[in-house]
Amino acid sequence: MATLQELWLVRHGESIGNIAATAAEMAGDEVIALDTRDADVPLSATGTQQARALAAPLYGADEVPAVAWLSPYARAQQTFALSAENGPRIARVLTDERLRDRELGILDLLTRRGVAARHPEEAARRAKLGKYYHRPPGGESWADVSLRLRSFLRDAAEADARVGLVVAHDAVVMLLVALLTGLDETSLLRFAADHTVLNASVTRLRSDGRRWELVDFSDVRHLEQLGAEVTAHPGSPDVQPR
């Protein structure tokens, strides 16, 4: 049975939710103008182009991933499907709800201004608890997301594959990096403050059987080479990008 030795983490391409959230923040609006539920938010035209460009690093890999795990959300599913149109065949493709984006509860679709204006008590709680442990009512903290990702990693380790691919969301990518490389809360928040998971980027980790090493973080050379726009949409401390 093969042991997982390399893991590729891909953030979905730019979504219409990314565009709406960034526009609302820049305009100083309290609410993000989006009437689609989070799970159904599709890619933008730019996101579609970015997703197709992901075929290039997959074809250029020393070893094509033997298994792909996908978030159930539409933007991640579309990203993988478009990358596969002209990319190498991946034998096993599994959808795993543990890879869904962070749930924001009552803060969903609110900008930083909106959180401060409509739920000042939550803004105060977040300031006290910090980004990692703050759980908005009806939502999740980063610690909550980490818990479900620990469960995912245990199952992924039994996949009988040397190389695996995850297509999900920026918070999922960031927290998987933290879990695999052993970053504690302080180290993770410091790392996250200086690093952004770009749309349709590839983050690679490799294991020597004892520890995981971060090889590439948020690599977008494939986008640049193929002329696809590079987009970030990092969101705010209170609202994770869609």
Side-chain angles (χ1 to χ4, degrees), residues 7-114:
L7 194 58
W8 292 40
L9 309 177
V10 171
R11 183 188 177 190
H12 61 80
E14 181 189 70
S15 72
I16 63 167
N18 289 149
I19 295 173
T22 297
E25 290 286 355
M26 292 181 65
D29 295 336
E30 293 185 3
V31 178
I32 299 167
L34 193 68
D35 59 5
T36 305
R37 70 171 186 158
D38 197 15
D40 299 329
V41 171
L43 297 179
S44 67
T46 294
T48 297
Q49 183 184 24
Q50 292 170 336
R52 290 196 170 105
L54 283 165
L58 288 169
Y59 261 127
D62 293 334
E63 183 175 349
V64 174
V67 59
W69 295 279
L70 315 180
S71 160
Y73 285 15
R75 53 195 179 275
Q77 296 276 327
Q78 286 181 302
T79 296
F80 177 78
L82 290 167
S83 73
E85 287 182 349
N86 297 306
R89 181 177 179 273
I90 295 179
R92 285 177 288 161
V93 181
L94 306 170
T95 295
D96 196 308
E97 73 282 350
R98 292 171 294 186
L99 298 174
R100 70 189 185 277
D101 208 353
R102 178 190 170 207
E103 297 178 1
L104 295 171
I106 64 169
L107 304 187
D108 190 36
L109 294 180
L110 296 182
T111 63
R112 284 175 291 185
R113 181 186 291 269

Side-chain angles (χ1 to χ4, degrees), residues 107-161:
L107 304 187
D108 190 36
L109 294 180
L110 296 182
T111 63
R112 284 175 291 185
R113 181 186 291 269
V115 171
R118 302 184 182 207
H119 297 286
E121 74 290 349
E122 285 306 310
R125 284 183 67 243
R126 187 199 176 280
K128 179 180 180 180
L129 296 175
K131 182 174 184 173
Y132 190 77
Y133 289 112
H134 174 244
R135 178 193 296 135
E140 297 176 294
S141 66
W142 268 21
D144 294 326
V145 179
S146 294
L147 182 61
R148 55 176 158 94
L149 292 179
R150 286 186 186 277
S151 169
F152 164 76
L153 288 172
R154 284 195 296 270
D155 290 346
E158 304 297 323
D160 192 17

